[in-house]
Amino acid sequence: MAQENVPTVDLRNGGTKNGCSKAVSFSALKPQLVVQAPKAAEAVQFYKAAFGAEELKRSMHPKRKADQELPLILSAELKLGSSVLLVCDQTDECVAKVKGEEKGSGCILCLETDNVETAVANAVKAGGVIIDGGELTDGEGACCGGRVGKVKDPYGYVWLICSPGKMCTDVEG
Amino acid sequence: MAQENVPTVDLRNGGTKNGCSKAVSFSALKPQLVVQAPKAAEAVQFYKAAFGAEELKRSMHPKRKADQELPLILSAELKLGSSVLLVCDQTDECVAKVKGEEKGSGCILCLETDNVETAVANAVKAGGVIIDGGELTDGEGACCGGRVGKVKDPYGYVWLICSPGKMCTDVEG
């Protein structure tokens, strides 16, 4: 139970000692690159060619405005070394609401944790601002599945705090 | 010696099969958040309080324009879960040149590899553009030590391809 003086803190974050009310552990931090629609598919090809990225999963946007439109990528998950990079088309679901007033492409930081509520509460207590409606959503149709909270930090970066393992439905190929 | 048919490809990237001339393996992908100077120190505090991030290293900018100015952070390395996040003040060395025409804060993707030259060549072959002078630099005073190549991808993201292990001088505390 006692967690003090743990020799390695690799997967534990010192929440309490740093002023958080409750310690939360994060299983992954995945940068998500938002690409001007409909170029996410092209961007995925680029990251494969440029860096040898390996595509793990891809989930597509369920709706298109017109049949002739290209299907948009809600989230493509790429393995790059031991890290994961997410790529998505800029859509209302994926970005416009997440980025708030910001337009154009940008990088969102996806943080995975089993304790989304506490993680979001800690971030808000530290000075972050919940965006996109102010409520934790269940994220269907969004970039993340499971519980999702979106917090903008005081420096303009958007953090997407979500449950792990439910990222994207598998729509490989 | 023979690396073919490795059962897990976690740390190997399928460069060849994806069209790269030479496979390069990447040891880490670290998002670097560029913060409007001199707020990087404050941002580091925020990430500690909000997410329980643990500071591993910090390197400071060697020069200040005036004594009354706050020292700027060239690179602070934060552990968040099993991932590493970099935070830096926006300075000429760290950002202005990296970001080129872009102003304001932004996210740079630091990719670590033992084979910077080939990784940069692969990225350029795939359609990336070398920025910041067009030459690999040795990165002293920059965010990364060792060999550093900066490549802008066709979607506007800047990749800082550098040698691992030499990231930042230890100026802990």
Side-chain angles (χ1 to χ4, degrees), chain B residues 27-46:
Chain B
S27 48
L29 168 64
K30 301 175 180 175
Q32 178 171 52
L33 305 185
V34 180
V35 173
Q36 226 173 20
K39 292 198 174 172
E42 191 187 306
V44 167
Q45 282 310 114
F46 173 82

Side-chain angles (χ1 to χ4, degrees), chain A residues 79-96:
Chain A
K79 196 163 182 50
L80 225 178
S82 54
S83 302
V84 170
L85 178 71
L86 305 173
V87 178
C88 70
D89 273 309
Q90 183 171 20
T91 66
D92 280 353
E93 283 79 359
C94 184
V95 181

Side-chain angles (χ1 to χ4, degrees), chain A residues 17-57:
Chain A
K17 76 179 176 198
N18 289 316
C20 289
S21 44
K22 295 177 190 174
V24 170
S25 60
F26 295 100
S27 49
L29 167 65
K30 301 175 180 176
Q32 180 171 51
L33 305 185
V34 180
V35 172
Q36 225 174 22
K39 292 198 173 173
E42 191 187 306
V44 167
Q45 282 311 114
F46 173 83
Y47 298 127
K48 288 180 183 177
F51 305 122
E54 182 198 353
E55 186 167 351
L56 302 177
K57 302 186 194 177

Side-chain angles (χ1 to χ4, degrees), chain A:
Chain A
M1 208 49 94
Q3 294 268 354
E4 64 272 19
N5 300 322
V6 190
T8 168
V9 290
D10 281 12
L11 289 166
R12 306 284 308 174
N13 295 283
T16 311
K17 76 179 176 198
N18 289 316
C20 289
S21 44
K22 295 177 190 174
V24 170
S25 60
F26 295 100
S27 49
L29 167 65
K30 301 175 180 176
Q32 180 171 51
L33 305 185
V34 180
V35 172
Q36 225 174 22
K39 292 198 173 173
E42 191 187 306
V44 167
Q45 282 311 114
F46 173 83
Y47 298 127
K48 288 180 183 177
F51 305 122
E54 182 198 353
E55 186 167 351
L56 302 177
K57 302 186 194 177
R58 181 183 294 202
S59 63
M60 304 304 294
H61 197 283
K63 293 172 287 192
R64 281 179 288 171
K65 281 177 187 162
D67 279 345
Q68 67 271 26
E69 282 186 352
L70 286 172
L72 299 181
I73 294 181
L74 266 184
S75 187
E77 195 164 342
L78 304 181
K79 196 163 182 50
L80 225 178
S82 54
S83 302
V84 170
L85 178 71
L86 305 173
V87 178
C88 70
D89 273 309
Q90 183 171 20
T91 66
D92 280 353
E93 283 79 359
C94 184
V95 181
K97 282 192 278 181
V98 175
K99 298 287 287 177
E101 74 281 359
E102 293 168 47
K103 58 183 186 295
S105 57
C107 181
I108 293 171
L109 299 148
C110 292
L111 253 187
E112 295 182 4
T113 178
D114 286 321
N115 199 341
V116 173
E117 276 78 359
T118 307
V120 169
N122 285 347
V124 169
K125 192 177 167 193
V129 175
I130 295 182
I131 57 173
D132 196 13
E135 284 174 27
L136 298 188
T137 64
D138 274 338
E140 50 172 354
C143 301
C144 299
R147 301 289 280 168
V148 180
K150 294 167 196 162
V151 175
K152 190 169 196 167
D153 74 30
Y155 312 95
Y157 291 100
V158 173
W159 296 78
L160 219 156
I161 299 169
C162 60
S163 323
K166 290 187 175 178
M167 290 288 290
C168 320
T169 49
D170 277 271
V171 193
E172 183 69 55

Side-chain angles (χ1 to χ4, degrees), chain B residues 1-14 23-25:
Chain B
M1 207 51 94
Q3 295 267 354
E4 64 271 21
N5 299 322
V6 190
T8 167
V9 291
D10 280 12
L11 290 167
R12 308 281 308 172
N13 295 284
V24 169
S25 61

